[in-house]
């Protein structure tokens, strides 16, 4: 009777079983929460810049997570990387830098096993991630640590000149993460102290390094520059042999020529050099008089653009920005390098176009073959890859992207560049558009019968390239000294 009255009594009496059931179930829920855990990788996961990485996460013991919310976030719950809820992905509150770069892998979700694929790894992706599972009665999470690494280019060694009784050798490399170790070795493998060392971190988060050393006649002549990734425990090394520079400096022939009192041999040699240079200048004048009559109307091709590039509506301007979602679907362009081609390509004739490069950031402009590598990995900018270009590094140095690279010592830093192509002659030349002076020429380029396209790369903070109509040049205002004065 007492039980019956409890079940059929007043409203207050009816609520009693509800409270009883609630307090009975509460420890059960707590017990369930204590029985299941979320497990992530036991060790930090290492990812390579430009590649993809999978972050695993699962429940233990196994149970279905189909009806749970699975969330990846950074240091705070609201810093969302990816969320799965109600049986589908929900990315409307995703952090902008992860937009279009995450994929939820749920093949094993019925057993509580899920993973997150993160595409096109960047240095900024490094850090801690939290993987959490949540249902109406269950919440647990686990921490994952992601480390990011990048192996840079092989060291580029070149002789800067004679200094302090010896030869200054410079070692340069780019594309490293985290900040690499740099050291010199002699022939015996012993470390040699450097003269100077400078490291820069570009807008893409990757490190560039430059170090130099002075080598004397008494020192070991075989010198190696090694750059080592502290995370990957891998290094790249280049060696240079300096003895020939000292032998050239001491060459008896040089001494004899310097002491011969007669000037006739030197006069004849000088005359020959003058005639050859005059002939070369006249040929160049004739070539560019025909070429520079009218500039090509060039526009940027969005289908070739890296997703991190933003093109203006008129397709005349390009700059770095957030990933363009429209370019991710069926993307056929440059995947890992911030490059873009023009819509217009050439298989014959002489052509030129103007580019406003400005005075900030890093960039490269030139030409590229139609078959230039786009998706396979980070692009090497050199003629072997089918690219003929010059670049401005973000701290202001100009280089011709030969193999190895050629440093350009320019008296004037051009802010507008005229790129000129002579397909039949295999010539790619670069002019300061404001002074109409050439500052570098790629001779005898091998186009192999392919279509050649204007090429552009934006690689530093503040950099922006704008295609600009180049005014018709009045050739009669040019002189030999204008065109061929030494830079």
């Amino acid at each position: 009777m007492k039980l019956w009255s409890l079940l059929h009594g007043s409203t207050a009496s009816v609520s009693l079983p509800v409270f009883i059931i609630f307090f009975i179930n509460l420890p059960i829920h707590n017990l369930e929460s204590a029985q299941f855990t979320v497990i992530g990788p036991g060790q930090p996961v290492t990812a390579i810049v430009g590649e993809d990485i999978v972050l695993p996460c699962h429940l233990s013991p196994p149970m279905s997570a189909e009806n749970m919310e699975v969330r990846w976030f950074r240091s705070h719950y609201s810093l969302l990387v990816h969320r799965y809820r109600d049986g589908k992905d929900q990315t409307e509150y995703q952090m902008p830098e992860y937009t279009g770069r995450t994929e939820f892998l749920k093949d094993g979700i019925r057993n509580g096993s899920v993973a997150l694929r993160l595409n096109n790894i960047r240095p900024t992706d490094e850090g801690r991630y939290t993987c959490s599972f949540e249902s109406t009665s269950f919440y647990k999470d686990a921490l994952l640590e992601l480390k990011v690494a990048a192996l840079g280019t092989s060291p580029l060694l070149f002789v800067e000149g004679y200094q302090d009784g010896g030869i200054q050798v410079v070692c340069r490399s780019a594309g490293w993460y985290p900040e690499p170790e740099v050291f010199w070795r002699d022939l015996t493998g012993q470390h040699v102290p450097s003269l100077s060392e400078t490291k820069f971190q570009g807008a893409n988060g990757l490190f560039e390094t430059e170090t130099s050393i002075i080598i004397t006649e008494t020192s070991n002549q075989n010198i190696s520059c090694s750059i080592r990734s502290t995370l990957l425990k891998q290094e790249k090394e280049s060696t240079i042999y300096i003895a020939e520079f000292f032998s050239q400096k001491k060459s008896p022939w040089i001494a004899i020529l310097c002491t011969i009192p007669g000037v006739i041999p030197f006069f004849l040699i000088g005359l020959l050099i003058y005639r050859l240079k005059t002939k070369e200048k006249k040929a160049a004048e004739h070539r560019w008089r025909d070429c520079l009559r009218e500039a090509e109307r060039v526009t940027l091709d969005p289908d070739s653009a890296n997703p991190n590039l933003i093109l203006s509506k008129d397709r005349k301007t390009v700059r770095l920005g957030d990933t363009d979602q429209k370019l991710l679907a069926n993307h056929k362009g440059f995947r890992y390098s911030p490059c873009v081609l023009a819509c217009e390509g050439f298989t014959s004739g002489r052509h030129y176009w103007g580019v406003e490069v400005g005075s900030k950031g890093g960039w490269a402009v030139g030409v590229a073959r139609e078959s230039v590598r786009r998706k396979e990995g980070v692009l090497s900018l050199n003629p072997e890859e089918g690219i003929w270009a010059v670049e401005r590094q973000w701290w202001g140095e100009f280089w011709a992207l030969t193999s190895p690279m050629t440093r350009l010592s320019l008296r004037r830093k051009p802010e507008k560049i005229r790129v000129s192509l002579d397909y039949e002659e295999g010539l790619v030349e670069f002019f300061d558009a404001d002074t109409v002076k050439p500052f570098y020429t790629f001779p005898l380029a091998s186009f192999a019968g392919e279509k050649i396209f204007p090429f552009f790369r934006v690689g530093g903070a503040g950099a922006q390239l704008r295609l600009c109509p180049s005014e018709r040049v009045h050739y009669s205002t040019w002189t030999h000294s204008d065109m061929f004065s030494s830079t």
Side-chain angles (χ1 to χ4, degrees), residues 417-460:
I417 290 179
R418 182 170 289 149
V419 184
S420 301
L421 167 70
D422 187 329
Y423 194 98
E424 282 75 18
E425 294 293 333
L427 291 176
V428 182
E429 302 191 54
F430 299 87
F431 291 73
D432 183 332
D434 290 324
T435 63
V436 201
K437 290 185 179 181
F439 60 87
Y440 192 77
T441 301
F442 283 92
L444 303 177
S446 177
F447 299 145
E450 286 192 49
K451 182 177 287 188
I452 300 298
F453 290 84
F455 169 86
F456 312 89
R457 184 188 70 178
V458 183

Side-chain angles (χ1 to χ4, degrees), residues 45-58:
V45 177
T46 300
I48 305 299
V49 171
E51 297 184 0
D52 302 343
I53 192 66
V54 173
L55 305 178
C57 189
H58 67 273

Side-chain angles (χ1 to χ4, degrees), residues 184-424:
W184 295 90
R185 290 194 186 103
D186 62 16
L187 185 61
T188 64
Q190 297 296 316
H191 285 199
V192 180
S194 61
L195 174 67
S196 65
E197 182 176 321
T198 306
K199 293 176 182 175
F200 306 93
Q201 189 172 20
N204 59 0
L206 303 181
F207 285 92
E208 301 185 25
T209 178
E210 179 176 304
T211 180
S212 65
I213 191 173
I214 298 292
I215 301 176
T216 63
E217 292 182 81
T218 58
S219 61
N220 194 304
Q221 302 302 307
N222 276 353
I223 293 294
S224 299
C225 176
S226 297
I227 305 181
R228 185 172 186 265
S229 168
T230 56
L231 182 58
L232 298 177
K233 309 301 181 185
Q234 299 181 40
E235 68 180 56
K236 292 189 176 183
E237 182 178 90
S238 296
T239 303
I240 189 170
Y241 187 67
I242 304 296
E244 60 185 35
F245 290 94
F246 289 108
S247 63
Q248 290 173 8
K249 189 177 179 183
K250 287 188 167 185
S251 171
W253 288 105
I254 295 178
I256 292 171
L257 289 174
C258 291
T259 57
I260 290 178
V263 297
I264 294 178
F266 294 99
F267 174 77
L268 294 176
I269 293 173
L271 181 61
L272 177 60
I273 293 174
Y274 174 77
R275 289 178 62 87
L276 290 175
K277 286 188 174 181
T278 301
K279 183 178 180 180
E280 178 184 348
K281 290 177 182 179
K282 288 183 177 180
E285 288 176 357
H286 177 74
R287 183 170 67 251
W288 292 114
R289 179 173 55 194
D290 293 339
C291 176
L292 299 179
R293 288 178 177 173
E294 187 173 353
E296 299 292 338
R297 297 185 180 275
V298 177
T299 56
L300 301 171
D301 179 14
D303 291 335
S304 69
N306 178 276
N308 292 313
L309 295 180
I310 297 178
L311 308 185
S312 61
K313 291 183 179 180
D314 61 0
R315 299 184 183 178
K316 292 287 187 179
T317 303
V318 57
R319 62 179 176 85
L320 279 175
D322 296 330
T323 302
D324 189 338
Q325 296 301 306
K326 296 179 181 179
L327 296 178
L328 287 175
N330 302 317
H331 182 60
K332 298 179 181 179
F334 294 98
R335 182 171 181 180
Y336 299 117
S337 301
C339 304
V340 61
L341 299 178
C343 295
E344 298 76 15
F346 312 104
T347 56
S348 63
R350 299 167 181 168
H351 312 271
Y352 87 97
W353 52 94
V355 187
E356 185 176 314
V357 295
S359 59
K360 297 181 181 179
W363 48 260
V365 298
V367 301
R369 291 180 186 162
E370 186 174 21
S371 61
V372 66
R373 208 158 44 92
R374 300 186 188 183
K375 289 187 176 182
E376 290 79 357
V378 177
L379 190 65
S380 297
L381 272 59
N382 55 51
E384 287 75 15
E385 288 278 0
I387 294 175
W388 295 263
V390 297
E391 76 167 2
R392 179 191 186 274
Q393 295 179 340
W394 67 272
W395 59 89
E397 289 186 355
F398 281 74
W399 292 79
L401 299 179
T402 52
S403 185
M405 294 165 58
T406 302
R407 187 174 183 177
L408 303 178
S409 299
L410 304 181
R411 297 175 185 172
R412 168 189 161 87
K413 308 297 185 183
E415 296 188 13
K416 291 182 181 179
I417 290 179
R418 182 170 289 149
V419 184
S420 301
L421 167 70
D422 187 329
Y423 194 98
E424 282 75 18

